Amino acid sequence: QVQLQESGPGLVKPSETLSLTCTVSGYSISSGYYWGWIRQPPGKGLEWIGTIYHSGSTYYNPSLKSRVTISVDTSKNQFSLKLSSVTAADTAVYYCARATVGAPYSDYWGQGSLVTVSS
Amino acid sequence: EIVMTQSPATLSVSPGQRATLSCRASQSVSSNLAWYQQKPGQAPRLLIYGASARATGIPARFSGSGSGTEFTLTISSLQSEDFAVYYCQQYNNWPLTFGGGTKVEIK
């Protein structure tokens, strides 16, 4: 059973960097698949942030690309998100998810982590 | 960027009735279209991929159709657990994009 779990601070100050980690269990990241981040502001829809392959290849949303870094640590079976220079507009539930290579729909999702940007 | 537009924004349906949700892409996405269901406080759940293939464990009352720019999700007989928000997503091109969602509510 594949499971994903987000972890990280729930409160980040404006202009600082948001950091989240997704720990994967039940499947080895290095065995394949894409691993990605999606966010959802309160009461709003879903926004794709970016995706990484176990080799380190990345795809980012152009609207966030200048502020986003996604990395993978296969030894810990984790991947991470860093979003710099955050503002209140970055307040959202952040989900990590697994996606199929070549057809990147997400079949497994974490439960989500609410990150609030506030001083 | 491919823009995904879902309609209607809200759909009021009685239990046992059929629900038809639409999703339109601003350019062709072939059959590279997925549907997700999201209930309050939960992560999205994959229902359909490849425009018409049901994901593992998804009941047969959920069906998807379409290709190119026009897609439909049909719930043949709504059950109480089906009242939720539904999102379409194209994965034909990067960046991946989602529609704004359709909320299916009890009539």
Side-chain angles (χ1 to χ4, degrees), chain A residues 22-44:
Chain A
C22 183
T23 301
V24 180
S25 58
Y27 189 85
S28 172
I29 283 180
S30 56
S31 293
Y33 283 92
Y34 286 135
W35 306 90
W37 292 94
I38 299 105
R39 70 180 182 178
Q40 185 172 38
K44 296 188 177 181

Side-chain angles (χ1 to χ4, degrees), chain A residues 4 22 34-38 48 50-52 70 79 95-99:
Chain A
L4 296 88
C22 183
Y34 286 135
W35 306 90
W37 292 94
I38 299 105
W48 173 72
T51 294
I52 192 165
I70 296 176
F79 61 105
Y95 296 101
C96 60
R98 187 182 85 165

